[in-house]
Amino acid sequence: QVQLQQWGAGLLKPSETLSLTCAVYGGSFSGYYWSWIRQPPGKGLEWIGDINHGGSTIYNSSLKSRVTISIDTSKNQYTLKMTAVTAADTAVYYCARGRALAVITARFDPWGQGALVTVSS
Amino acid sequence: EIVLTQSPGTLSLSPGERATLSCRASQSVSRSYLNWYQQKPGQAPRLLIYGASSRATGIPDRFSGSGSGTDFTLTISRLEPEDIAVYYCQQYGSSPTFGQGTKVEIK
């Protein structure tokens, strides 16, 4: 059974860089895209971006200029970095397994536990 | 970007009643890429339905999905108290997006 565990700094000041890491336990790491999704308090879900085992990425166009997703296949981990954060980036950030490379359907499953990141001066 | 619009915003029903949640897309979505999630307070979303109509592992058969093109539906045949949650539809095209959610509450 695949499990995702995530961690990172929870309190940032404006203009700092957000950094979160997600570790994947169990299952295939190479056969999927791995995703980041966020949810501002009391609001809906926003996809941030995906990365695959080979390091190919795709980002939400609205965040692309500030976001980098990287992968460490030796540790089955991937990392989100977001630069120049503002209060608008305050949210619960989730990692999730994304689309499979060899399956026609595509979904986010399973999800990590979530990490609240607060941006405040 | 494909915009998903869910209705109603809130659904108030009694236990045992049928819940019908709608998701309308701004352009056609492949059935293979239309999913539904359940989110309870303080928890991560959980996959309910993928490929528009396939139940995820462990999901009770009172949950079902249907639809095609731009109109999709999630149905809860007999509402249970533990179904109280926010439900999101999601499309996984080249740029994934989520609907704004439907909150299901007990009347």
Side-chain angles (χ1 to χ4, degrees):
Chain A
Q1 183 178 349
V2 177
Q3 292 187 332
L4 283 69
Q5 184 174 354
Q6 55 185 107
W7 64 87
L11 181 61
L12 297 172
K13 291 181 167 52
S15 80
E16 291 186 334
T17 296
L18 177 157
S19 181
L20 295 169
T21 297
C22 184
V24 179
Y25 300 99
S28 167
F29 190 63
S30 62
Y32 292 88
Y33 277 85
W34 299 93
S35 306
W36 287 101
I37 296 153
R38 70 179 182 178
Q39 184 173 38
K43 297 188 177 181
L45 298 157
E46 179 181 36
W47 170 75
I48 298 170
D50 288 357
I51 190 167
N52 70 9
H53 184 262
S56 294
T57 53
I58 182 167
Y59 299 122
N60 186 322
S61 58
S62 68
L63 298 169
K64 186 175 182 177
S65 63
R66 297 192 294 127
V67 167
T68 301
I69 300 175
S70 58
I71 196 164
D72 184 340
T73 55
S74 68
K75 296 181 179 178
N76 282 14
Q77 295 178 0
Y78 63 109
T79 297
L80 169 69
K81 291 190 186 296
M82 181 182 294
T83 61
V85 297
T86 70
D89 296 311
T90 294
V92 176
Y93 287 74
Y94 295 101
C95 58
R97 187 177 66 179
R99 74 169 70 223
L101 298 181
V103 175
I104 192 170
T105 57
R107 65 264 197 185
F108 298 116
D109 179 55
W111 296 56
Q113 78 275 21
L116 175 62
V117 176
T118 302
V119 181
S120 174
S121 56
Chain B
E1 173 179 295
I2 297 177
V3 176
L4 300 178
T5 302
Q6 293 186 239
S7 61
T10 302
L11 197 52
S12 297
L13 295 168
S14 301
E17 287 193 300
R18 183 183 190 89
T20 302
L21 287 66
S22 173
C23 177
R24 178 161 291 177
S26 60
Q27 56 187 276
S28 185
V29 173
S30 168
R31 281 177 53 89
S32 297
Y33 291 166
L34 195 287
N35 309 307
W36 291 91
Y37 300 85
Q38 176 192 66
Q39 186 178 34
K40 297 182 178 181
Q43 296 184 16
R46 175 174 73 147
L47 178 69
L48 285 180
I49 301 288
Y50 66 93
S53 59
S54 297
R55 273 188 301 277
T57 303
I59 301 303
D61 61 7
R62 65 179 181 274
F63 291 92
S64 63
S66 63
S68 64
T70 59
D71 289 300
F72 297 88
T73 300
L74 174 70
T75 301
I76 310 173
S77 60
R78 298 171 309 279
L79 193 67
E80 300 281 349
E82 61 264 31
D83 300 334
I84 301 313
V86 178
Y87 294 83
Y88 294 95
C89 59
Q90 177 253 329
Q91 64 82 22
Y92 209 139
S94 58
S95 183
T97 55
F98 292 85
Q100 82 279 18
T102 290
K103 183 179 182 180
V104 174
E105 58 184 33
I106 291 290
K107 188 185 294 184

